[in-house]
Amino acid sequence: MKVLLIGSGGREHALAWALSASPLLTKLYCAPGNPGIAEAAECVAIPATDHDGLLAFAREKGIDFVVIGPEQPLVDGLWDKLEAAGIKTLGPSKAGAVLEGSKGYVKDLCAENAIPTAAYRRFDAPGPAKDFAATLGLPVVIKADGLAAGKGVVIAQTREEADAAIDAVGGDMVIEEYLDGEEASFFVLSDGEHVVPLGGAQDHKRAFDGDKGPNTGGMGAYSPAPIFDEAVAAKTMDKIVRPTIAAMARRGTPYMGVLFAGLMIKDGEPKLIEYNCRFGDPECQVLMMRLKSDLLTALLAARDRQLAHLDLRWSDDAALTVVMATRGYPGDYAKGSAISGLDAASEHARIFHAGTALKAGHIVANGGRVLAVTATAPTIADAQRRAYEAVDKIDWPEGFCRRDIGYRALKR
Ligand code: AMP
Ligand code: GLY
C-alpha cells in the first residue's frame, strides 16, 4: 500500500516512523517532510497548502491512502478534495474539522448535549461581550472564534485586560468562565460512529521551567498521564467524546479521524476546554512510542468505518519527550544554527525532527521547535532521566529546552 503523509513537524516524524513499520506499507511519501522524516519516507517538496499539487501527486503515484498531520489542511477541506477524487484519506472532513475551526460551534454543541465545559456566551461585537465578561469572576477567558494556532486565547486577570482583549478580537468570540484544575489531553480515533481510545498525555505549554514564560505549541509531553486514570478516561468517553461523535453524526457531518480533547480535570471530573481535529504535537510522539499495534491498520479502519472490529494494544511503559527549541522561540529566532551529537543522543532516546534542514550535509535548525527527544521506560522518572541523558549529548548552543518535563506526574 502506498501512503502519503502530509506535514513537516515532530508529530509527522512520529507518524512516519510508526507507519513505516506497517506490514501493509509498500511505499511511504511525505509532503513536505523534513530530514528526520526522510529516514522513514521519501520526501516531496509540496507544501501542505498546495491542495492541487498534493492531489496531482497522489494521482501520479497511485497513492492508496493519505494521512494529514496538521489542522490547517483539514479545516481548509483537503479531505473533501482528495476523497472526491477517489483517494482514501484519513479525515476529518471540512465539516468535521469545525470542531477545531470554530470554538463557538463546539460550545453550542456542548450546551445542546449537556457536555461538561466552561460556562460561556458567544458575541460578534465588543460592547455586549464586555458587559457579559463583567458578570463573570476573574480571571475570565476570551477566545477568538477561528483557528489561531494557540494564540487566540487570553486569560485576563483584570477587567482592563479583559476589555483590551475583547477589543483586540473585535468580531466573533467566546467569553467563558475560567476553569481551575489540571490539564490533560485525550486522543481517540473515530469512524463516525465507533470510537477507539488512543490514550492520554500531558504537555507543557509554557516556554520555561516551572510553567513560566510565554505560551508555545508545547515544550514536552508524557504518556500515560497519572491524572488521567481509568475512571477519568471512562467519564471522558461517556460524558464528552461519545456524545460529541453522536451529535456530529445526527447533524449529518460524521466525525472520522483523530479527535484530540483538551481537558481540565478537577476532583476526578473532566471538563472540555477545546477540541483539535488531529494528533497533538508533541503528544503524538509519546503516543506513537507506546503504540504496539499497527498504526496504518488503525487509521485505515477509521477511514473504512471498521473501528467496531479494532482493538489496539499499548505498552505499559511510560514515554516522555523533551522539545528542543531555538533560543528566542516562541518569539523571533534565527534559522541555520548547526546541531551535532544526534547519533550519540540516539543511543538513549528516539529523536524526532520537528524543524530541521540539511545544509551542506549537516543538520541545522530550521524552525522554533526543532527536535523532540523521546524516551520510554517502565516509569516516568526513568523515561525522563533517559530523555535528558540524550538531550545532554546534543551539541547545539543556540538551542534550549525545559529541564522539568514530567514534573507534575513526578510530584504525585
Ligand atoms: P486553547 O487555544 O483553547 O487550547 O486554549 C489555550 C490554553 O488556554 C489551554 O490549553 C488552557 O491552558 C487555557 N484555557 C482555555 N480555556 C480555559 C478556561 N476556560 N479555563 C482555564 N484555562 C483555559
Ligand atoms: N501540544 C498541543 C497541540 O498540539 O495543540
Side-chain angles (χ1 to χ4, degrees), residues 33-346:
N34 68 37
I37 294 173
E39 289 165 18
E42 182 177 331
C43 294
V44 288
I46 308 170
T49 47
D50 180 5
H51 296 194
D52 290 331
L54 291 166
L55 172 58
F57 178 82
R59 280 199 169 121
E60 179 199 321
K61 296 293 182 188
I63 296 294
D64 300 297
F65 188 48
V66 179
V67 177
I68 303 171
E71 64 277 13
Q72 192 72 55
L74 292 162
V75 171
D76 292 343
L78 181 56
W79 178 89
D80 306 67
K81 186 176 188 102
L82 294 171
E83 284 279 343
I87 297 165
K88 277 192 190 192
T89 304
L90 180 70
S93 64
K94 185 181 172 80
V98 71
L99 291 186
E100 176 157 3
S102 169
K103 296 184 193 294
Y105 181 96
V106 172
K107 296 301 290 192
D108 288 351
L109 185 140
C110 288
E112 279 169 36
N113 294 280
I115 293 170
T117 186
Y120 79 104
R121 273 183 62 190
R122 297 175 74 172
F123 297 94
D124 58 10
K130 287 180 190 172
D131 293 343
F132 176 68
T135 68
L136 297 176
L138 287 171
V140 61
V141 182
I142 295 105
K143 299 183 171 181
D145 195 46
L147 264 196
K151 295 192 182 82
V153 177
V154 172
I155 300 181
Q157 304 291 342
T158 65
R159 297 289 165 206
E160 294 69 32
E161 241 184 89
D163 287 355
I166 289 167
D167 283 328
V169 177
D172 289 336
M173 68 186 101
V174 171
I175 308 293
E176 68 180 34
E177 109 190 86
Y178 177 80
L179 294 177
D180 219 11
E182 195 171 324
E183 279 188 76
S185 308
F186 179 51
F187 299 85
V188 302
L189 196 55
S190 168
D191 66 4
E193 184 185 357
H194 308 100
V195 186
V196 173
L198 299 174
Q202 274 183 301
D203 82 346
H204 296 64
K205 289 215 167 74
R206 301 298 194 99
F208 308 131
D209 284 20
D211 294 324
K212 304 260 173 16
N215 253 318
T216 71
M219 294 300 291
Y222 50 93
S223 174
I227 186 158
F228 194 80
D229 58 23
E230 268 176 47
V232 176
K235 281 182 191 165
T236 305
M237 285 293 275
D238 291 344
K239 297 183 177 179
I240 299 177
V241 173
R242 282 202 191 92
T244 300
I245 297 299
M248 292 300 280
R250 281 197 305 275
R251 290 178 176 197
T253 51
Y255 189 93
M256 294 173 289
V258 175
L259 184 63
F260 164 170
L263 306 166
M264 191 67 85
I265 299 162
K266 194 176 180 204
D267 303 327
E269 292 298 326
K271 286 188 178 177
L272 181 71
I273 297 177
E274 59 155 0
Y275 277 129
N276 296 302
C277 62
R278 50 166 175 88
F279 278 109
D281 187 346
E283 291 93 330
C284 185
Q285 288 84 316
V286 288
L287 291 181
M288 290 306 110
M289 294 289 274
R290 296 188 53 230
L291 178 63
K292 285 172 141 180
S293 303
D294 180 34
L295 176 67
L296 182 50
T297 302
L299 300 183
L300 265 174
R303 156 60 183 78
D304 289 338
R305 298 181 163 260
Q306 295 295 317
L307 282 188
H309 312 291
L310 188 87
D311 199 17
L312 292 177
R313 288 177 306 117
W314 298 88
S315 166
D316 289 332
D317 278 1
L320 183 141
T321 188
V322 177
V323 169
M324 299 185 76
T326 308
R327 286 187 193 283
Y329 173 80
D332 293 337
Y333 54 83
K335 288 186 179 180
S337 51
I339 301 169
S340 49
L342 292 176
D343 286 343
S346 299

